[in-house]
C-alpha cells in the first residue's frame, strides 16, 4: 500500500490560489449560513430526513461542513493528491449544478437576491480553474520532489 508523503518545495502559485479561493468559498458558505440560521435550518430540514433540527444543530452542521472542506485542501496542498483533486472537481460541479435551483428558490420566495449567497459558487469556480491550470497539471504529474521553480 503506497504511503502518502508530503511534497517538498514551494507550491506553484496556482495551487496556492486554489487553496485560498476554496477555503474562501467554505468560509463564505459558513458565514452566510450563520447570517440566516432560520433559512439554513429549513434547508437542512428539507435535505436531511430528521425532525430534530434547531439552531444549535444547524451551527454544528455548518461547522462540520467547514471542517470537512479543509480535508481536500490539505490533501492537495500537502500531498498533491490526484484523487482529492478529482473529488474536488466532481463536488464543485455538483454544487454549480444546483445554482439554477438556488436562483429559482430566491425568486419563488419573493425576496431580493442576496449576492452574498452567490460568492461561494463564484469562489468554487475560481478554485476549480486554478486547480486545472497547466502549472497545476505539471505539479500533480511530476515527481514528488517537484518545486515551483522547476514548473515555470
Amino acid at each position: 500500500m503506497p504511503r502518502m508523503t508530503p511534497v517538498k518545495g514551494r507550491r506553484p502559485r496556482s495551487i496556492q490560489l486554489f487553496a485560498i479561493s476554496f477555503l474562501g468559498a467554505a468560509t463564505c458558505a459558513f458565514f452566510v449560513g450563520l447570517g440566516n440560521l432560520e433559512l439554513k435550518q429549513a434547508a437542512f430540514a428539507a435535505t436531511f430526513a430528521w425532525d430534530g433540527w434547531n439552531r444549535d444543530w444547524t451551527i454544528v452542521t455548518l461547522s462540520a461542513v467547514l471542517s470537512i472542506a479543509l480535508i481536500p485542501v490539505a490533501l492537495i496542498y500537502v500531498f498533491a493528491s490526484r484523487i482529492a483533486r478529482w473529488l474536488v472537481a466532481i463536488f464543485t460541479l455538483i454544487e454549480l449544478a444546483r445554482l439554477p435551483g438556488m436562483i429559482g428558490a430566491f425568486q419563488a420566495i419573493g425576496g431580493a437576491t442576496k449576492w452574498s449567497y452567490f460568492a461561494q459558487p463564484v469562489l468554487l469556480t475560481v478554485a476549480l480553474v486554478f486547480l486545472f491550470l497547466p502549472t497545476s497539471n505539471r505539479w500533480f504529474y511530476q515527481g514528488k520532489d517537484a518545486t515551483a521553480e522547476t514548473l515555470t
Side-chain angles (χ1 to χ4, degrees):
M1 173 183 249
R3 292 176 41 199
M4 293 187 75
T5 57
V7 176
K8 296 176 184 171
R10 279 192 50 217
R11 303 321 183 245
R13 176 83 47 190
S14 59
I15 295 297
Q16 294 171 357
L17 292 173
F18 154 76
I20 291 168
S21 56
F22 194 83
L23 291 177
T27 305
C28 181
F30 176 75
F31 284 115
V32 166
L34 285 180
N36 195 346
L37 282 174
E38 293 78 22
L39 180 63
K40 201 62 175 175
Q41 182 178 337
F44 283 153
T47 304
F48 305 110
W50 182 50
D51 61 353
W53 285 108
N54 57 28
R55 288 177 58 90
D56 293 338
W57 280 111
T58 304
I59 293 170
V60 168
T61 305
L62 286 170
S63 300
V65 169
L66 178 63
S67 299
I68 290 168
L70 298 174
I71 296 169
V73 171
L75 288 173
I76 290 169
Y77 194 83
V78 176
F79 300 107
S81 171
R82 295 179 207 157
I83 294 172
R85 177 188 192 205
W86 285 104
L87 286 174
V88 165
I90 290 167
F91 284 109
T92 298
L93 292 174
I94 290 171
E95 185 71 23
L96 293 176
R98 293 180 47 224
L99 197 57
M102 215 165 97
I103 294 169
F106 278 121
Q107 292 174 346
I109 60 176
T113 302
K114 293 186 177 181
W115 291 108
S116 60
Y117 285 95
F118 297 102
Q120 180 202 15
V122 168
L123 286 170
L124 284 175
T125 304
V126 169
L128 191 61
V129 168
F130 284 131
L131 197 55
F132 285 92
L133 285 177
T135 306
S136 299
N137 285 334
R138 287 191 300 272
W139 183 70
F140 276 108
Y141 288 101
Q142 270 191 341
K144 289 294 183 181
D145 293 330
T147 63
E149 291 80 25
T150 63
L151 299 174
T152 57

